[in-house]
Amino acid sequence: MKVEKEELLHIAKLANIKINDDEIDNYLLNLQDILNFANVVNKAPVEGLGETIGTNNNYNVFRKDEVVEFEDQESLLQNAPEKEQHMFKIPKVIN
Amino acid sequence: MDITELTVHELKEKLDKCEITSEEITKSYLKRINEKESDINAFVTRLDEDAVNKAKEIDSAKKANKKLGKYAGIPIGIKDNMCTKGIKTTCSSKMLENFISPYDGTVVNKLLNEENMINLGKLNMDEFAMGSSTENSYFKKTRNPWDIERVPGGSSGGSAAAVSANMVPWALGSDTGGSIRLPAALCGVVGLKPTYGLVSRYGLVAFASSLDQIGPITKDVRDSAILLSLIAGKDEKDTTSIDIPKKDYTVFLKNDAKGLRIGVPKEFFGEGINEEVKDALYKAMEKYRELGAIVEETSLDIAEYALAAYYIIACAEASSNLGRFDGIRYGYRTKNYETLKDIFVNSRSEGFGPEVKRRIILGTYVLSSGYYDAYYKKAQQVRTLVKNEFAKNLKKYDILLTPTSPTTAFKIGEKSENPLEMYLTDICTVSVNVAGLPRNINSLWFRQKWYACWNAINWKLF
Amino acid sequence: MARDDYEVVIGLEVHAELSTKTKIFCSCKTEFGGEPNTHCCPVCMAMPGALPVLNEKVLEYAVKAGLAMNSSISRDSKNDRKNYFYPDLPKSYQISQFDKPLCEHGYVEIVKPDGEKKKIGITRIHIEEDAGKLNHDDYGRGSLVDLNRAGVPLIEIVSEPDMRSVAEADIYLKKIKSILEYIEVSDCKMQEGSLRADVNISVRKKGQKEFGTRTEMKNMNSFKSISRALEYEIERQIDVIENGGIIEQETLRWDEVSGKTFSMRDKEDAQDYRYFPEPDLVPIRLSEEYIENIRKNLPELPETRKQRYLSEYKLTEKEANTLTASKYLSDFFEKGVKISNNPKAVCNWLLSDVARILNEKEFEPEDIPFTPEDLAELIGLIDKGTISSKIAKDVLEEMFENPKNPSKIIEEKGWVQISDENAIKEIVLKIISENPQSVSDFKNGKDRALGFLVGQAMKETKGKANPQMLNTMFKELM
């Protein structure tokens, strides 16, 4: 599958990553290279095989509905780039 | 006697006999770090003062007969992608340059708070564990102690190099596609990737959730078994962790290999595997035969499929796992913004390094509409295939013997221009991650050569 | 009349917050309100390295809802990640369910305004986590992120596009609310956002087979605005089509103030959520016993309760419907009946005067400030003749304004009914002497005059006189 420039830019937008004009060619080249290789999976003899969901056989691991408060609420905000009134501050968003 | 030459089980013996104090051990390591760090670049964060203080505390607590862990007072180094409360956890990324975790991860908590080991510092790695050479660290390139022109392997390069250079007695690494085993092999130490789910991932900054495992990097196999016994176990905070009884893995250690059935998959000895590596493996086979093992050729034709599936799954999961680094609650925030969108885009574009961005893009691509079935879904099927093939082989054999790396340690800068070439470095290691199996790399001929690229062993689950 | 040529097609995605004690994937409390960012932990704040663990109650509640809405419960289910960036979504993905929802193929039955019954299909019900909240700062320059709500459990109930009018959509939503209240899995407080709906709407020419292009309005949280928004959107879509235009498939924002819908994002930003199985959570496998156990313990549902009201209390279909629509009101009714033993009277009070006041005040039944015991007492006071039913209405008003028990109100206000024969006689004589004309009219066979005289007597006593006694006394004395 050939990756087009527009497609790359669309993907970058979804990922919120900026690709500068001078980086586009290099990205396209690398991505194409890797995808060509990744395409090997389409040659694998997997007919009739199910998908692996969960690396081991665990299932039904649940938690009881009991409140446990995190002991150090303040530390949750200590890394905030900007905060106000105990909230994370960001530029104005119109909902 | 140089304390830093000793293994942990040797150190512990001396500690137990009161021939030595934790403070002495700790100071010996700090001295060694001071001598070697400028060459090796293993540490992102050093904790010299804290370490000495804690060692003193442990020594006096011991004197007062307080109940402490069995390995209390033994130092350790921790890969910088494991959360440590109050101490920076950077993942060797600009994104988390100043990030201080509000909590201790489960494994960190076990070792530091319950066992009372001493944290010598946080060890360098490829940014967010993405890489095979530790060249992708935002802060520094770690060098191979055997030849500082060469890479230590990655992503746990800081951990492997630090153990190899006697800067820490042992260390924690994490392995998503070979990140413990590859650097352990290239640095001539022992690395173990446990079965998926054996060790809790809570507090390990996720790269690829379905593949990541924390494991030991040590000087010898006994230390690996000890450290694994300490970190393994069900954790209520990680639903993928397995509920099995606690074991002391040292009881499985043996001095011979009588009756051990070893399969050697021929596909791992083909093109692209360098002669020195093959040589080392042939020697290993000989050694095993001498010790009484039955060594046979077998077939395991999945390496290429597994590698392709690995990169699809790992990048897909990473693209989602790294979404939380958005410049809002923690981590790097761009100076260059007016709108919310600017914060997202510029923080991520400035905060992540090129390899991380490349993988996020690849992962986003394979999950995006129209490609999911061709890549991600197929990769999940390949995963089933790889599991089945391993299962077949592990019915016949106790152990599968393969190389860990197709080549010996390469020079710094040699491969970093070509991402695909770098990805192919992982061809020997990723298949067990994809299958969730355990794997040990075990340098039988300790430290003969810096480029040690020893035999890797897969064995049955648990 | 263009409007009549069109048929409306509506589908609803209802989000209900589950009333568990803790969040869906961590042990933080779900309580509404609280200081910002204080019901949080590394998991719901999406700290690096933190992992989710599913709350077992969420599963139970969702299965309960599925069974109550006649769904089949999936024995094999899993969680998936829905990826998008937004500041109220700390992980930049929402843990939801994609291709293996917990419940599928259900329906609920509604009674249309014309009395006809209709089944509305439920495509699926799945579990997911709520997002945080954005507040505005004091100076209007920035927004502030509060993550107390992040990780509160939700079920999303997706209907088939089965509704053909605004009224049907309204009745359906009320039915969903009522069922969720009956099975006690959600408090459904719309004003707190614990019940909200995404509304999909399209129009097509009558007789046309394929659906028209639909538009969507997200996060609507009042019945009134949903109806208004739908009405507006129907008109708008028909208008566009009638004028030769094309409806764009898009998400619209309903603006309550202007009463209009607005386009939210341009097409360029078309979302691609990149769903994939959540690798941090293991699959869910439900046993037949687990499901049957929940089925066996399902509480009485509105339909069953309605049937019981018809047979047990001899209420009319309409009365039973209205009462059982709200679990709170219906529970209130039953408690009242238990004490007063007068189902008809309790029903009448609730559906006429209480309903009227609730409506005036824009209250929900939950906001009734007095107890069923108080209402039963009020009815008892009328039965005993202590107050007239007219005064009783004033007492009821007072019970809303200054909630106290009715006897106390009557005593304080001096509203006890005058039932003393001598007192009544005195009043009647006074009115007779003041109204000779009416008296003679009565004597000449004009029955209406009696009504007038009784009215005058009631006026004189400020409504406290016993009306039956007045009647008898007037007839006797004239």
Side-chain angles (χ1 to χ4, degrees):
Chain A
M1 270 173 265
K2 176 129 172 57
V3 188
E4 302 293 339
K5 183 181 156 190
E6 295 70 48
E7 206 170 8
L8 174 69
L9 294 177
H10 169 68
I11 294 294
K13 196 167 181 178
L14 283 177
N16 274 313
I17 299 280
K18 184 164 63 193
I19 299 180
N20 296 325
D21 288 344
D22 57 342
E23 296 171 323
I24 292 178
D25 288 343
N26 202 24
Y27 259 101
L28 276 176
L29 203 72
N30 289 335
L31 186 62
Q32 191 68 63
D33 246 17
I34 298 163
L35 283 172
N36 289 346
F37 173 71
N39 219 12
V40 168
V41 294
N42 284 304
K43 298 189 190 100
V46 294
E47 231 182 70
L49 290 183
E51 291 167 65
T52 291
I53 307 281
T55 309
N56 50 42
N57 298 324
N58 272 13
Y59 63 94
N60 284 2
V61 183
F62 308 130
R63 179 175 59 75
K64 291 239 175 307
D65 187 26
E66 287 161 7
V67 175
V68 182
E69 281 182 49
F70 183 65
E71 66 280 3
D72 192 357
Q73 295 281 338
E74 285 316 304
S75 69
L76 293 171
L77 279 90
Q78 74 192 359
N79 292 289
E82 197 180 352
K83 57 189 164 185
E84 196 176 301
Q85 300 170 43
H86 215 257
M87 288 182 271
F88 303 102
K89 187 163 185 185
I90 53 172
K92 191 167 180 172
V93 178
I94 302 141
N95 245 335
Chain B
M1 174 194 71
D2 183 352
I3 288 173
T4 64
E5 291 278 342
L6 300 176
T7 61
V8 171
H9 56 90
E10 288 161 349
L11 280 176
K12 181 179 184 297
E13 225 183 284
K14 293 194 182 298
L15 259 178
D16 287 351
K17 287 186 191 151
C18 297
E19 289 170 14
I20 196 173
T21 64
S22 173
E23 187 182 343
E24 285 170 296
I25 298 175
T26 305
K27 284 184 169 163
S28 305
Y29 276 104
L30 293 178
K31 183 165 163 273
R32 178 77 181 169
I33 294 169
N34 279 330
E35 289 161 12
K36 300 293 286 181
E37 178 60 6
S38 57
D39 277 349
I40 305 296
N41 284 333
F43 284 84
V44 175
T45 302
R46 285 175 59 175
L47 298 164
D48 298 17
E49 206 175 310
D50 290 356
V52 174
N53 289 340
K54 173 120 185 229
K56 285 179 182 167
E57 253 175 61
I58 304 276
D59 285 333
S60 43
K62 258 190 189 161
K63 270 189 204 141
N65 277 323
K66 282 201 184 133
K67 211 172 160 355
L68 298 161
K70 264 165 90 179
Y71 290 83
I74 300 278
I76 190 166
I78 297 171
K79 188 177 179 180
D80 208 17
N81 60 351
M82 295 176 215
C83 288
T84 43
K85 188 176 163 74
I87 296 164
K88 278 192 214 170
T89 299
T90 70
C91 291
S92 289
S93 178
K94 182 180 180 186
M95 182 58 87
L96 292 178
E97 189 170 5
N98 298 306
F99 175 73
I100 294 177
S101 171
Y103 72 103
D104 276 328
T106 297
V107 167
V108 165
N109 183 51
K110 275 185 184 176
L111 297 186
L112 300 186
N113 306 334
E114 290 171 15
E115 202 62 42
N116 277 302
M117 284 186 200
I118 290 159
N119 186 3
L120 288 176
K122 303 295 289 289
L123 296 164
N124 198 25
M125 55 188 278
D126 283 302
E127 184 180 358
F128 284 103
M130 296 178 185
S132 310
S133 66
T134 316
E135 290 168 286
N136 294 336
S137 166
Y138 170 67
F139 304 111
K140 49 177 84 164
K141 289 182 172 52
T142 299
R143 301 153 188 265
N144 193 316
W146 297 90
D147 176 351
I148 58 170
E149 298 291 305
R150 294 181 186 260
V151 302
S155 66
S156 310
S159 299
V163 173
S164 176
N166 293 337
M167 297 156 85
V168 297
W170 56 7
L172 288 175
S174 72
D175 191 314
T176 306
S179 283
I180 286 177
R181 292 157 289 154
L182 185 65
L186 299 191
C187 292
V189 292
V190 179
L192 169 73
K193 185 205 92 77
T195 304
Y196 185 81
L198 189 59
V199 181
S200 168
R201 293 183 295 115
Y202 191 80
L204 171 67
V205 182
F207 160 14
S209 313
S210 75
L211 301 160
D212 297 341
Q213 269 295 282
I214 294 173
I217 295 179
T218 60
K219 289 183 186 176
D220 75 353
V221 174
R222 178 164 294 272
D223 279 358
S224 267
I226 292 169
L227 192 46
L228 181 64
S229 308
L230 294 175
I231 62 177
K234 167 84 187 156
D235 180 12
E236 282 175 2
K237 292 188 174 117
D238 176 3
T239 68
T240 63
S241 72
I242 324 168
D243 200 1
I244 53 161
K246 234 180 144 35
K247 280 181 195 161
D248 176 1
Y249 291 94
T250 58
V251 305
F252 300 107
L253 298 176
K254 279 185 194 164
N255 286 324
D256 63 60
K258 274 203 195 81
L260 194 71
R261 294 163 305 163
I262 301 179
V264 183
K266 57 174 189 283
E267 292 81 0
F268 284 78
F269 287 80
E271 218 183 308
I273 306 295
N274 142 336
E275 286 307 316
E276 277 172 295
V277 173
K278 284 185 195 167
D279 237 37
L281 275 145
Y282 291 135
K283 279 188 195 149
M285 288 180 221
E286 253 169 61
K287 186 75 186 171
Y288 275 119
R289 284 202 183 97
E290 259 171 50
L291 291 168
I294 305 151
V295 184
E296 278 175 17
E297 189 179 90
T298 179
S299 171
L300 183 66
D301 191 13
I302 42 91
E304 227 190 3
Y305 301 138
L307 184 62
Y310 166 78
Y311 271 97
I312 292 168
I313 294 165
C315 292
E317 290 181 4
S319 73
S320 173
N321 282 332
L322 271 60
R324 68 187 62 196
F325 303 105
D326 57 6
I328 293 180
R329 293 165 311 286
Y330 47 76
Y332 176 78
R333 178 185 282 194
T334 179
K335 304 277 169 295
N336 166 26
Y337 72 91
E338 272 170 41
T339 66
L340 174 69
K341 190 81 183 162
D342 295 341
I343 289 195
F344 285 160
V345 175
N346 296 342
S347 302
R348 290 167 62 76
S349 302
E350 294 160 23
F352 289 138
E355 183 56 30
V356 173
K357 285 192 265 189
R358 188 153 39 230
R359 295 200 195 192
I360 290 175
I361 295 283
L362 179 67
T364 306
Y365 181 90
V366 298
L367 286 177
S368 67
S369 95
Y371 298 110
Y372 182 86
D373 285 0
Y375 290 108
Y376 192 82
K377 199 174 165 192
K378 263 283 155 51
Q380 294 282 56
Q381 283 180 296
V382 166
R383 227 170 157 164
T384 311
L385 173 77
V386 172
K387 276 184 168 183
N388 292 349
E389 291 301 308
F390 266 110
K392 264 190 235 163
N393 266 292
L394 289 171
K395 256 184 209 157
K396 277 193 281 177
Y397 303 106
D398 300 309
I399 280 174
L400 298 175
L401 190 66
T402 73
T404 294
S405 162
T407 64
T408 52
F410 46 90
K411 287 210 162 142
I412 292 171
E414 192 180 320
K415 283 195 198 177
S416 46
E417 285 308 305
N418 186 335
L420 181 60
E421 196 187 329
M422 188 69 96
Y423 292 2
L424 294 175
T425 309
D426 299 338
I427 186 114
C428 302
T429 49
V430 296
S431 46
V432 289
N433 296 79
V434 169
L437 290 169
R439 182 153 162 176
N440 191 12
I441 104 95
N442 171 3
S443 354
L444 275 182
W445 296 271
F446 294 103
R447 304 174 189 183
Q448 286 175 352
K449 283 180 171 178
W450 52 263
Y451 53 76
C453 177
W454 301 124
N455 48 333
I457 306 168
N458 305 301
W459 73 96
K460 285 176 186 162
L461 226 51
F462 318 120
Chain C
M1 276 293 280
R3 172 78 203 251
D4 284 346
D5 297 338
Y6 286 87
E7 182 179 48
V8 175
V9 176
I10 301 170
L12 256 58
E13 290 162 24
V14 179
H15 292 90
E17 280 184 3
L18 299 178
S19 48
T20 54
K21 290 203 241 16
T22 65
K23 293 186 178 180
I24 181 166
F25 298 121
C26 63
S27 304
C28 293
K29 55 188 169 198
T30 51
E31 222 167 83
F32 181 75
E35 286 300 303
N37 294 309
T38 55
H39 300 171
C40 294
C41 74
V43 178
C44 55
M45 271 222 177
M47 284 293 162
L51 297 172
V53 185
L54 180 59
N55 180 346
E56 61 181 8
K57 237 358 179 220
V58 171
L59 197 61
E60 182 192 321
Y61 282 11
V63 170
K64 237 178 173 179
L67 292 172
M69 294 175 198
N70 309 296
S71 308
S72 60
I73 308 300
S74 311
R75 302 283 302 275
D76 280 302
S77 190
K78 65 176 170 69
N79 298 97
D80 298 279
R81 290 188 185 175
K82 178 182 181 179
N83 296 283
Y84 65 95
F85 285 83
Y86 206 68
D88 65 4
L89 189 70
K91 295 190 293 295
S92 293
Y93 57 83
Q94 179 193 32
I95 304 178
S96 178
Q97 296 193 285
F98 183 53
D99 56 340
K100 287 181 167 183
L102 265 183
C103 320
E104 285 179 287
H105 315 302
Y107 68 87
V108 296
E109 196 172 78
I110 61 165
V111 181
K112 296 201 289 181
D114 61 8
E116 203 186 308
K117 285 177 182 165
K118 178 174 178 178
K119 278 182 183 171
I120 307 292
I122 306 272
T123 317
R124 55 185 282 159
I125 302 174
H126 67 250
I127 53 175
E128 60 184 27
E129 56 184 333
D130 209 344
K133 255 186 194 154
L134 297 187
N135 299 311
H136 296 294
D137 71 358
D138 292 343
Y139 315 101
R141 282 199 294 261
S143 294
L144 302 170
V145 186
D146 171 14
L147 297 175
N148 279 352
R149 201 180 65 179
V152 167
L154 294 175
I155 48 173
E156 180 173 334
I157 305 160
V158 182
S159 84
E160 293 289 317
D162 282 350
M163 286 151 273
R164 294 289 174 272
S165 70
V166 177
E168 282 180 26
D170 185 61
I171 295 165
Y172 165 79
L173 186 57
K174 284 180 176 148
K175 184 80 182 199
I176 294 288
K177 179 172 185 279
S178 152
I179 292 172
L180 294 176
E181 286 168 351
Y182 271 76
I183 58 175
E184 295 177 323
V185 302
S186 172
D187 62 16
C188 296
K189 286 184 184 157
M190 294 186 91
Q191 65 282 9
E192 288 177 12
S194 65
L195 189 77
R196 37 192 212 266
D198 299 347
V199 188
N200 287 290
I201 174 152
S202 65
V203 299
R204 62 179 169 189
K205 282 260 170 69
K206 277 184 182 156
Q208 182 183 315
K209 270 214 169 125
E210 58 278 12
F211 291 131
T213 307
R214 64 192 160 88
T215 57
E216 185 178 26
M217 289 170 280
K218 282 186 183 288
N219 275 326
M220 311 282 292
N221 66 350
S222 98
F223 290 109
K224 223 188 221 164
S225 40
I226 290 172
S227 292
R228 280 183 68 204
L230 282 173
E231 293 289 1
Y232 174 86
E233 190 54 17
I234 292 165
E235 294 298 328
R236 189 191 70 85
Q237 290 191 8
I238 292 174
D239 236 40
V240 170
I241 295 170
E242 284 291 304
N243 289 313
I246 293 168
I247 305 293
E248 304 258 358
Q249 181 164 347
E250 61 182 335
T251 302
L252 301 171
R253 184 174 60 84
W254 166 250
D255 183 67
E256 196 66 51
V257 182
S258 64
K260 287 180 179 170
T261 58
F262 294 95
S263 188
M264 271 178 78
R265 359 181 136 88
D266 40 328
K267 274 177 294 178
E268 183 190 38
D269 271 353
Q271 279 296 341
D272 180 348
Y273 292 125
R274 291 158 283 137
Y275 281 100
F276 73 101
E278 165 57 284
D280 287 331
L281 289 165
V282 296
I284 301 164
R285 288 187 208 156
L286 300 182
S287 67
E288 204 56 54
E289 298 95 277
Y290 176 88
I291 298 166
E292 278 318 302
N293 199 30
I294 294 178
R295 194 194 303 275
K296 262 189 294 183
N297 292 310
L298 269 186
E300 189 182 37
L301 291 170
E303 189 55 34
T304 331
R305 190 175 279 193
K306 189 185 106 185
Q307 292 306 328
R308 185 162 61 80
Y309 283 13
L310 295 181
S311 56
E312 198 172 313
Y313 302 131
K314 310 285 178 241
L315 300 184
T316 67
E317 179 95 18
K318 194 171 176 205
E319 288 168 337
N321 254 334
T322 321
L323 277 179
T324 56
S326 152
K327 172 163 193 289
Y328 189 87
L329 192 67
S330 166
D331 286 346
F332 196 103
F333 165 77
E334 292 198 34
K335 280 183 205 144
V337 171
K338 209 168 257 172
I339 302 160
S340 72
N341 223 347
N342 190 346
K344 207 77 201 170
V346 179
C347 172
N348 284 341
W349 276 97
L350 286 177
L351 297 189
S352 56
D353 293 275
V354 173
R356 176 183 49 81
I357 298 169
L358 288 179
N359 204 25
E360 281 167 11
K361 293 184 179 291
E362 297 190 8
F363 274 7
E364 296 294 320
E366 286 80 344
D367 304 322
I368 297 176
F370 51 85
T371 63
E373 287 77 7
D374 291 336
L375 181 63
E377 187 182 333
L378 182 68
I379 291 166
L381 290 168
I382 306 164
D383 287 350
K384 277 188 283 179
T386 315
I387 51 172
S388 67
S389 38
K390 188 168 176 303
I391 288 287
K393 288 180 196 230
D394 297 334
V395 177
L396 185 73
E397 298 276 358
E398 194 57 28
M399 284 159 72
F400 269 98
E401 296 309 323
N402 298 301
K404 274 180 203 156
N405 79 46
S407 313
K408 199 149 216 169
I409 293 173
I410 293 162
E411 190 192 306
E412 280 176 13
K413 298 269 177 184
W415 282 347
V416 179
Q417 181 162 266
I418 304 169
S419 301
D420 174 72
E421 207 154 316
N422 287 327
I424 295 282
K425 192 171 182 179
E426 204 172 295
I427 296 155
V428 169
L429 287 172
K430 181 165 184 270
I431 298 298
I432 288 177
S433 72
E434 283 170 2
N435 297 284
Q437 183 60 47
S438 300
V439 176
S440 68
D441 285 353
F442 176 75
K443 285 179 180 162
N444 292 331
K446 284 189 184 165
D447 283 352
R448 259 188 301 159
L450 177 63
F452 173 77
L453 290 166
V454 170
Q456 290 304 105
M458 288 303 272
K459 209 174 183 180
E460 179 73 24
T461 59
K462 298 196 175 83
K464 285 188 286 182
N466 182 322
Q468 273 88 42
M469 289 179 75
L470 282 178
N471 255 311
T472 329
M473 191 66 78
F474 269 113
K475 284 183 191 158
E476 209 172 281
L477 293 179
M478 288 191 301

